[in-house]
Amino acid sequence: MEDKDCIFCKLAGGEIPSATIYENSDFRVFMDVAPANRGHVLIVPKEHFKDIFDIDAMTAGKLFSLATEVARAMKSVLNCDGMNLVQNNGTVAGQTVFHFHLHLIPRYANDGVKIGWQPGESSPTELQELAKEIRKKI
Ligand code: AMP
Ligand code: ZN
């Protein structure tokens, strides 16, 4: 179901033009208009899902399967040395467009692009407790 105020619904549906690499009945794959690096690509479902908490497992699975093919095509064309897959959920996590999307960001040696976090600390007890609580909900 399209959200009439959602820019990615309009992009995915073709109402707003994009530099499209590929589309099928479920997804559109296009170039990010403000790329973090040369060749930054987005995979966007045509159906409106807000985020990882909203998307169904079947669509997410198909999306990731498509990502493997897109990533290989990008590597072959861009000759990148690596790639970050980034998927932001919620404002605190850096999401700015509230329609699920996966970023494929090619990486080149010494490109200076910053993605990531500083390693933190936790105790083995805390790790086990958290694992147990989360496991109960799966
Ligand atoms: P996020 O911050 O994870 O929500 O990512 C949103 C991404 O959408 C950003 O990388 C934007 O550059 C990209 N974006 C926004 N509008 C467009 C557009 N019209 N065409 C292509 N990419 C877009
Ligand atoms: Zn949408």
Side-chain angles (χ1 to χ4, degrees), residues 57-87:
M58 182 69 82
T59 305
K62 282 191 205 166
L63 188 149
F64 211 87
S65 170
L66 176 57
T68 64
E69 295 192 54
V70 175
R72 287 187 199 109
M74 289 168 66
K75 185 165 169 52
S76 122
V77 169
L78 300 165
N79 209 16
C80 51
D81 302 302
M83 186 175 292
N84 289 110
L85 266 54
V86 177
Q87 201 280 304

Side-chain angles (χ1 to χ4, degrees), residues 123-130:
S123 68
T125 310
E126 184 188 38
L127 296 179
Q128 288 296 341
E129 279 171 5
L130 289 172

Side-chain angles (χ1 to χ4, degrees), residues 93-104:
Q95 187 175 11
T96 60
V97 176
F98 296 89
H99 175 132
F100 186 101
H101 51 280
L102 180 66
H103 297 260
L104 286 77

Side-chain angles (χ1 to χ4, degrees), residues 1-3 5-10 45-49 98-100:
M1 180 72 106
E2 181 174 329
D3 178 330
D5 297 322
C6 173
I7 184 170
F8 274 15
C9 280
K10 294 189 172 81
K46 291 193 171 176
E47 191 171 341
H48 181 86
F49 303 103
F98 296 89
H99 175 132
F100 186 101

